[in-house]
C-alpha cells in the first residue's frame, strides 16, 4: 500500500489540472461568499485592510452581547476609532455622529444577522427543516451541526444532548430516503470535563451522552459524525469514539465517523491508528473518516508559542497541503474498509482527491466531498455537476451561538493565505492548481 | 542585549510526558523523607527537627527539617559578613554565570523538582511544573538583568569633568519565602539579591523547606560561595531574628499582610549600632476582583473565573476572590458558575485529573472552613477528608461588610457581587485596601481603557484569568497594602537591591583638560 502512494503523485498532475479547470469553469465568477455585490466588495476590502478587518470582526463578535442599538453603535464606533486604518477612521466619523447612530446600528446589526444567516440554516431543528429538505430535494446531502455556547456544566451538556436527539428525530421524520440524516457532534459540548492532562475525565464525562446519541442514531437510521476540535482534546475525542464504536451493540449501526486533521504534524500516525482500528473492527456501515486541514490553527500556534512548545501543527502552508494529499491517497487506498470524506474548499485539494480516486477506481460509494454551507456553495454545485457526491455541513443555532462560528469562518477565509481568499481575489486557476 | 526566553513548560497534555512525571514521583517517593539541615556558611547544622507533610496525604512526611534559632541566625549573619565581601567583589559576569549554571541544574532536575512541589506543597502537576519553570526563569532573567545594570547609566558629561554612575550591592539580605511558590519565589528573591552582589540568608516557609533547599543546593553547585548563601529552615523565630538584626541591609518578604506590616515595623526600628537604614521589599497578598461587564463573552468568563479562583485551591496571591458582575448578566453568569463548580474535581495534587487540590495545612483548612461556614453558599463542589481539603465554594450577594468580601481568604472561595455598571465595580475595587491583581472581562476598548486607568492594582488582566504571571512578560507586584511595589520578574526589580554611586572626576590639570 505504501508503495502505491509513493509512485502515484507523479502521473496525477495532468488529471488534477483537468478536473480542477473543469470545476473552476463550472463555478460562477470567483467570489468569497455567495452573496450580493456590496458584501463581496466589502470582503475584498477587508482582505486588504487588516486593521479594518480586525475592527469589524470584533464588532461581529460582540454583536449578540449588545442589548440596545445604542450599545451596538458604541462598540462599533470604538472599534473603528481604535483601528489603525484610514477607512475605519473615516467610518468612525459617521458612527460618532449622534443622528447617524440609530440608522447605522440598524444596518450594522442587520448586516451581521444576514451574514450569519448565510452560514446558519436555522435557529433550531424545526426552523432549519425547510432549508434542509430544500437542499435534499436539490440532491445535496447534508450534515447538521448544532451550534451552542461552551458547555461548562452537566446541565448544559444534557441540553446539548437533547438538542441533538431532537434534531436526529426531526430530520428522520422528514427524510425521504435511508441514510439521509447525518448529524455532526462535538464532544466538548457533551461534557464539561475535558481536561488536556486527563483525557479519561472527558471520556467518562461524555461517554453516556455520546452512547445515547449513537443509540438514537441507530434507531432512526442516521449517521453520527464526531467532529474534531483543538489538539488538547484530540486524544479524548478519538479514544472515546473508537471505544464506543467497538461495543458489539454498535457493530451493525449506526453509521459513524470521525475527523482526521491534516495540519497536525502527527496526523500520519493518527491515521495509522484509525486504520488499524477500522481493520480490526468490522462494521456493517464502513467507518467514515473525514479529512480536513483543521480549524484551530491560530489557537494551536499561539498556545504552543506561549508555553514554549513546538507547535503540533505545520507552520508551512505547503507542508500542510502536501500532507493533506498524502493522507488523501492513503485514505482512498484504505477503501472500502473505511469511507472517505474530503472536506475542503481548496480546488487543488479537491481535484487531487478526485484524480487519485479516479485512478484507483474509487467512486461515490466510498468517497464524498464535503463543504461548509455559505462558504462552499459554488464549489458544491460544481462538484455535484461532475457527478461526484457532495455533502454540505449545515450549522444550526441562534445568533448568539452562531457568532463564534461565524467569526471563525470569516477570519479563516479572509486570511491572506486561505484558498478561498486567493480564489476570490482573482488568482489564476492554473496557479491555484499547482502542486503544493 | 537581552536574550531571555521563558523556560518551556512541560507539555503535560502528552501521555509520554505525564508518564515521565509519574516515574519521577515514584522515584522521589522512594527517597522520602528528605533530610533538610541548616546550611550556615560552610557548616551543615542540625537542630530541632520538624516535618513537612504531603497535604494530599498528611501521614506522609516529605521532609525532616532542622529548625534554626535566633542564635543560628546570628551565626549565619556572621558568615554572611565574610560572604558579602567575597561575593560583591566578584565581577558581575561571574555572578551571572553562577546563577545561570544554577538554572541549568534546576533544568536538569525538572521532573524531580516538580514532583517535590506536588508532594510538599500540594501543587497539582501543571502548577508544580510552572513553579520549577518560573524558578529557572528568575535565575536567568536576573542574571541577565544584573549584567545590564553593571554598566551603570549614562550621565551628562561636561568638558573637564567625567561623570559615571554605577550600582553597588546594598549588603546582607534576608529573604523570607512563602510556601505557595516554594521554588519560584524563593529562587526569585534570592537570585535577585545574589545577582546584584548581596550575600543572602534564606528563611524558607515552614511548610516547604525541601523545595527551598533544592534551590539553594543548585545555587551552591552553580558557584555561589557557601558563605554568600545560608539557609535557615524554621518557624517564626529565625524570621524575626533575621529582620531585627542590625547587620541586615535588605529584607525581602512574600507572605501575609499582617506579617509584612510587622516586618516593616521591626525593620524601621533603629537598633543602636546600626549604620544604615534597612530596606524592606514586601509582597503581601490581595483581595483580587474580576469585573465582568455586560458585553463580556460568558463562555470565556466562566473558565476564566474558575481558573483564577480555584486553581491550586485559590492559594496564590494573585487568585480571584471576588467577581463584580454587571447586573445585566449577573443571573445568567451565577447560574452557569453554580453549574460549573460541581465539575471541579477535588483530589490529590498528584492526580492529573485534579482541578482543586487540598490546602497547605490543617490551620489553613480550619481557617478557610470558617469562611465557608460563615454564610449560605450559592453552590459548592466536593470535598474529602483524607487530606487538607476544602470544598470549592461560591457565594452570591453577600452584604458588602461580610468578612468573605472584606478579608483575604487564600482558599477556594469566590464571592459574586452584582454591580450597576463598571464605574460601580471600580468604586468597590477602589474602596479596598489591597491592590495586587485585578481582572476585567469586556469587549469595549473604552471600558478597557477606563478600567486600566482607574484600577489601583499592580497587575490587571483583561479577558483572561488573573493568575500565572510570567517572568519578563507580566512583571508582578501590587500597591497599597499588597506590597511595597517593585515588580518581580520585571526590568526594575533589581534596582531594589543596589545603591547607586555617582563618581565625578575633575579631568583638568594645570588648566588643561587631560
Ligand atoms: C465539511 C467540513 C467539516 C469540517 N469539520 C472540521 C472538524 O471537525 N474539525 C476541524 O478542525 N476542522 C473542520 N473543518 C474545517 C477545516 O479544517 C478547514 O479549516 C477549512 O475547511 C479550511 O480549509 P480548506 O482546505 O477549505 O482551505 P485552505 O485555504 O486550503 O486551507 C486553510 C487551512 O490551512 C491550514 N493552514 C493555514 N495556514 C497555515 C500555515 N501557515 N501552515 C500550515 N497550515 C496552515 C489551516 O488548517 C487552515 O484552516 C471542516 C471543514 C469542512 C468543509
Amino acid at each position: 500500500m505504501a508503495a502505491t502512494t509513493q509512485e502515484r503523485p507523479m502521473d496525477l498532475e495532468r488529471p488534477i489540472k483537468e478536473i480542477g479547470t473543469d470545476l473552476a469553469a463550472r463555478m460562477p465568477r470567483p467570489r468569497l461568499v455567495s452573496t450580493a455585490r456590496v458584501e463581496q466588495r466589502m470582503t475584498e476590502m477587508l482582505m486588504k485592510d487588516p486593521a479594518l478587518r480586525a475592527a469589524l470582526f470584533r464588532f461581529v463578535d460582540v454583536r449578540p452581547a449588545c442589548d440596545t442599538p445604542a450599545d451596538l453603535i458604541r462598540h462599533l464606533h470604538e472599534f473603528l476609532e481604535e483601528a489603525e486604518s484610514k477607512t475605519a477612521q473615516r467610518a468612525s466619523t459617521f458612527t460618532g455622529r449622534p443622528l447617524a447612530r440609530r440608522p447605522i446600528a440598524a444596518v450594522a446589526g442587520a448586516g451581521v444577522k444576514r451574514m450569519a444567516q448565510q452560514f446558519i440554516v436555522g435557529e433550531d431543528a424545526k426552523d432549519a427543516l425547510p432549508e434542509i429538505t430544500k437542499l435534499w430535494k436539490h440532491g445535496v446531502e447534508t450534515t447538521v451541526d448544532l451550534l451552542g455556547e461552551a458547555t461548562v456544566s452537566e446541565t448544559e451538556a444534557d441540553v446539548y444532548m437533547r438538542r441533538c436527539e431532537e434534531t436526529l428525530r426531526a430530520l428522520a421524520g422528514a427524510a425521504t430516503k435511508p441514510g439521509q440524516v447525518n448529524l455532526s457532534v462535538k464532544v466538548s459540548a457533551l461534557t464539561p470535563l475535558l481536561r488536556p492532562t486527563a483525557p479519561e475525565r472527558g471520556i467518562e464525562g461524555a461517554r453516556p451522552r455520546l452512547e445515547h446519541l449513537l443509540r438514537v442514531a441507530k434507531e432512526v437510521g442516521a449517521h453520527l459524525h464526531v467532529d474534531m476540535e483543538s489538539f488538547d482534546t484530540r486524544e479524548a475525542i478519538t479514544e472515546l469514539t473508537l471505544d464506543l464504536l467497538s461495543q458489539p451493540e454498535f457493530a451493525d449501526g449506526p453509521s459513524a465517523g470521525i475527523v482526521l486533521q491534516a495540519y497536525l504534524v502527527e496526523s500520519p500516525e493518527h491515521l495509522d491508528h484509525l486504520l488499524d482500528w477500522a481493520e480490526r473492527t468490522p462494521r456493517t456501515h464502513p467507518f467514515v473518516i473525514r479529512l480536513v486541514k483543521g480549524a484551530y490553527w491560530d489557537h494551536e500556534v499561539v498556545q504552543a508559542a506561549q508555553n514554549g512548545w513546538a507547535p503540533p501543527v505545520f507552520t508551512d502552508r505547503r507542508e500542510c497541503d502536501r500532507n493533506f494529499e498524502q493522507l488523501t491517497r492513503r485514505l482512498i487506498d484504505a477503501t472500502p474498509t473505511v469511507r472517505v470524506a474530503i472536506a475542503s474548499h481548496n480546488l487543488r485539494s479537491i481535484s487531487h482527491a478526485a484524480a487519485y480516486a479516479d485512478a484507483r477506481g474509487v467512486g461515490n460509494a466510498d468517497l464524498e466531498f464535503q463543504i461548509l454551507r455559505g462558504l462552499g456553495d459554488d464549489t458544491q454545485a460544481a462538484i455535484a455537476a461532475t457527478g461526484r457526491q457532495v455533502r454540505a455541513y449545515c450549522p444550526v443555532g441562534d445568533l448568539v451561538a452562531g457568532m463564534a462560528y461565524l467569526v471563525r469562518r470569516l477570519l479563516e477565509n479572509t486570511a491572506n493565505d486561505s484558498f478561498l481568499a486567493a480564489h476570490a481575489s482573482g488568482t489564476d486557476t492554473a496557479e491555484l492548481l499547482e502542486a503544493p | 542585549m537581552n536574550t531571555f526566553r521563558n523556560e518551556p513548560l512541560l507539555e503535560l497534555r502528552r501521555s509520554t510526558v505525564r508518564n515521565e512525571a509519574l516515574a519521577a514521583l515514584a522515584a522521589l517517593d522512594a527517597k522520602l523523607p528528605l533530610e533538610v539541615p541548616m546550611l550556615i556558611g560552610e557548616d551543615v547544622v542540625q537542630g530541632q527537627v520538624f516535618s513537612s507533610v504531603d497535604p494530599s496525604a498528611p501521614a506522609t512526611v516529605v521532609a525532616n527539617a532542622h529548625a534554626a534559632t535566633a542564635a543560628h541566625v546570628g551565626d549565619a549573619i556572621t558568615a554572611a559578613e565574610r560572604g558579602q565581601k567575597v561575593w560583591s567583589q566578584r565581577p558581575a559576569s561571574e555572578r551571572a554565570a553562577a546563577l545561570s549554571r544554577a538554572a541549568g541544574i534546576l533544568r536538569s532536575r525538572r521532573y524531580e523538582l516538580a514532583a517535590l512541589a506536588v508532594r510538599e506543597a500540594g501543587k497539582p502537576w501543571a502548577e508544580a511544573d510552572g513553579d520549577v519553570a518560573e524558578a529557572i526563569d528568575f535565575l536567568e532573567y536576573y542574571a541577565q538583568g544584573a549584567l545590564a545594570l553593571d554598566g551603570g547609566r549614562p550621565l551628562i558629561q561636561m568638558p573637564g569633568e567625567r561623570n559615571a554612575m554605577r550600582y553597588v550591592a546594598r549588603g546582607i539580605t534576608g529573604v523570607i519565602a512563602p510556601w505557595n511558590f516554594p521554588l519560584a519565589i524563593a529562587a526569585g528573591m534570592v537570585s535577585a539579591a545574589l545577582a546584584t552582589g548581596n550575600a543572602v540568608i534564606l528563611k524558607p516557609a515552614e511548610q516547604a523547606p525541601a523545595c527551598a533547599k533544592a534551590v539553594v543546593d543548585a545555587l551552591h553547585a552553580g558557584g555561589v560561595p557557601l558563605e554568600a548563601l545560608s539557609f535557615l529552615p524554621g518557624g517564626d523565630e529565625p524570621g524575626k531574628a533575621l529582620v531585627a538584626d542590625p547587620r541586615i541591609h535588605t529584607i525581602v518578604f512574600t507572605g501575609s499582610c499582617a506579617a509584612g506590616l510587622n516586618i516593616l515595623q521591626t525593620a524601621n526600628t533603629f537598633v543602636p549600632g546600626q549604620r544604615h537604614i534597612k530596606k524592606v521589599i514586601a509582597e503581601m497578598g490581595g483581595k483580587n476582583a474580576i469585573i465582568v461587564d455586560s458585553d463580556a463573552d460568558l463562555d470565556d468568563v466562566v473558565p476564566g473565573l474558575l481558573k483564577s479562583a480555584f486553581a491550586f485551591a485559590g492559594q496564590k496571591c494573585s487568585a480571584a476572590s471576588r467577581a463584580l458582575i454587571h447586573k445585566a448578566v449577573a443571573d445568567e453568569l451565577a447560574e452557569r458558575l453554580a453549574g460549573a463548580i460541581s465539575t471541579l474535581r477535588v483530589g490529590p495534587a498528584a492526580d492529573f485529573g485534579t482541578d482543586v487540590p487540598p490546602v497547605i495545612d490543617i490551620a489553613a483548612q480550619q481557617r478557610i472552613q470558617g469562611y465557608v461556614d460563615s454564610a449560605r453558599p450559592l453552590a459548592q463542589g466536593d470535598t474529602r477528608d483524607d487530606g487538607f481539603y476544602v470544598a470549592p465554594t461560591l457565594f452570591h450577594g453577600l452584604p458588602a461588610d461580610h468578612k468573605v468580601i472584606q478579608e483575604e481568604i487564600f482558599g477556594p472561595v469566590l464571592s459574586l457581587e452584582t454591580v450597576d455598571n463598571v464605574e460601580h465595580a471600580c468604586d468597590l475595587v477602589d474602596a479596598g485596601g489591597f491592590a495586587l491583581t485585578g481582572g476585567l472581562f469586556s469587549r469595549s476598548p473604552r471600558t478597557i481603557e477606563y478600567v486600566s486607568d482607574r484600577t489601583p492594582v499592580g497587575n490587571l488582566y483583561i479577558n483572561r484569568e488573573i493568575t500565572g504571571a510570567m517572568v519578563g512578560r507580566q512583571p508582578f507586584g501590587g500597591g497599597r497594602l499588597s506590597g511595597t511595589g517593585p515588580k518581580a520578574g520585571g526590568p526594575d526589580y533589581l534596582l531594589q537591591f543596589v545603591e547607586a554611586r555617582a563618581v565625578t572626576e575633575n579631568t583638568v590639570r594645570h588648566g588643561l583638560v587631560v
Side-chain angles (χ1 to χ4, degrees), chain A residues 61 65 74-75 78-79 81-82 149-150 152-153 156 195-197 199 201 231-232 266 303 306-309, chain B residues 8-14 18 295 299 302 336 339-340 343 345 352-353 355 443-447 473:
Chain A
D61 175 59
R74 175 174 70 88
H75 280 88
E78 289 176 22
F79 295 140
E81 202 179 40
E82 215 193 34
E149 293 177 345
V152 301
S153 67
E156 292 175 5
R195 300 287 186 276
T197 61
R201 287 198 64 196
F231 183 65
D232 275 347
E266 291 164 7
Q303 184 189 34
Q306 291 193 352
N307 291 321
W309 301 335
Chain B
L9 299 172
L10 291 182
E11 202 173 349
L12 292 165
R13 60 182 177 175
R14 294 185 183 271
R18 293 197 294 275
D295 66 353
D299 280 358
V302 175
R336 294 190 75 187
T343 69
R345 178 181 287 177
F352 282 105
D355 295 310
R443 286 181 278 191
S444 154
R446 276 201 202 159
T447 304
R473 276 154 63 187

Side-chain angles (χ1 to χ4, degrees), chain B residues 69-388:
Chain B
T69 62
H72 292 117
V73 173
D75 295 347
I77 297 177
T78 303
E81 287 178 308
R82 296 190 295 271
Q84 177 67 35
K85 288 208 185 78
V86 177
W87 184 241
S88 63
Q89 292 312 309
R90 295 258 178 101
S93 57
E94 218 176 283
R95 295 195 300 252
L99 262 54
S100 194
R101 279 192 298 271
I105 292 166
L106 297 185
R107 203 175 278 125
S108 70
R109 300 178 66 194
R110 208 43 211 275
Y111 285 93
E112 181 194 348
L113 295 179
L116 184 56
V118 167
R119 280 285 179 252
E120 197 176 39
K123 293 196 104 164
W125 280 106
E127 312 275 348
D129 170 56
D131 205 31
V132 188
E134 192 178 356
I136 296 170
D137 280 352
F138 276 130
L139 292 172
E140 299 279 21
Y141 184 80
Y142 292 145
Q144 290 200 13
L147 278 178
L149 208 58
D150 191 48
R153 292 278 159 92
L155 298 174
I156 294 171
Q157 306 294 343
M158 284 289 149
E161 175 182 285
R162 185 159 48 229
N163 298 318
M165 189 163 89
R166 67 176 80 165
Y167 294 103
V168 296
R170 284 180 49 82
I172 303 171
T173 303
V175 173
I176 299 176
W179 50 263
N180 63 339
F181 288 83
L183 295 147
I185 296 185
M189 298 193 298
V190 168
S191 64
L194 286 173
T196 42
N198 303 285
V200 173
I201 294 153
L202 167 63
K203 206 295 278 180
E206 218 174 338
Q207 295 88 342
C211 285
K213 176 154 185 297
V215 173
V216 170
D217 287 345
L219 284 161
H220 284 152
V224 175
L226 297 175
E227 293 192 320
L229 175 59
S230 288
F231 175 67
L232 298 177
D236 277 356
E237 183 181 336
K240 289 212 160 92
L242 198 55
V243 174
D245 195 291
R247 295 172 291 172
I248 291 282
H249 288 250
T250 311
I251 296 144
V252 199
F253 166 79
T254 299
S256 74
C257 182
L261 294 176
N262 224 312
I263 288 174
L264 277 158
Q265 187 163 27
T266 311
N268 284 326
T269 307
F270 185 79
V271 180
Q274 186 175 327
R275 295 187 303 146
H276 55 266
I277 293 163
K278 291 181 194 172
K279 177 168 195 168
V280 176
I281 302 163
E283 204 272 86
M284 315 190 293
K287 184 72 191 171
N288 310 309
I290 296 179
I291 300 171
V292 181
D293 197 6
S294 60
D295 66 353
D297 186 339
L298 299 191
D299 280 358
D300 294 340
V301 176
V302 175
L305 282 176
L306 293 182
K307 193 161 181 215
S308 303
F310 302 115
F312 191 31
Q315 302 173 102
K316 301 182 189 183
C317 333
S318 55
S321 67
R322 299 171 77 181
L324 308 173
I325 310 168
H326 191 289
K327 57 179 191 263
V329 290
D331 289 344
E332 184 186 351
L333 182 56
E335 187 189 327
R336 294 190 75 187
L337 278 170
I341 201 168
S342 60
T343 69
L344 298 175
R345 178 181 287 177
V346 176
D351 282 3
F352 282 105
T354 287
D355 295 310
V356 184
V359 297
I360 188 70
D361 57 20
I362 192 155
Q365 185 190 31
Q366 287 169 351
R367 190 178 51 74
I368 300 164
Q369 194 61 44
Y371 289 99
V372 169
D373 294 338
S374 70
R376 212 168 69 84
L378 172 70
Q380 205 162 32
D382 292 337
T383 186
R384 24 195 295 171
D385 55 14
D386 54 349
F388 304 129

Side-chain angles (χ1 to χ4, degrees), chain A residues 227-229 259 261 263 290 292-297 314-317 320-321 343-346 349 370-372 391 393 409 412-413 417-420:
Chain A
D227 279 354
M228 198 52 75
E229 307 179 50
V259 177
Q261 294 165 316
Y263 67 5
R290 177 200 296 158
V292 303
K293 279 164 199 155
Y296 306 83
W297 190 85
F314 291 109
T315 48
D316 178 350
R317 257 315 303 256
C320 174
D321 288 358
S344 172
H345 305 122
N346 185 321
S349 306
Q370 298 189 347
I371 53 88
L372 302 177
R391 185 180 305 279
Y393 186 96
R409 293 288 83 76
E412 184 175 271
N413 291 286
D417 58 359
S418 125
F419 175 86
L420 282 182

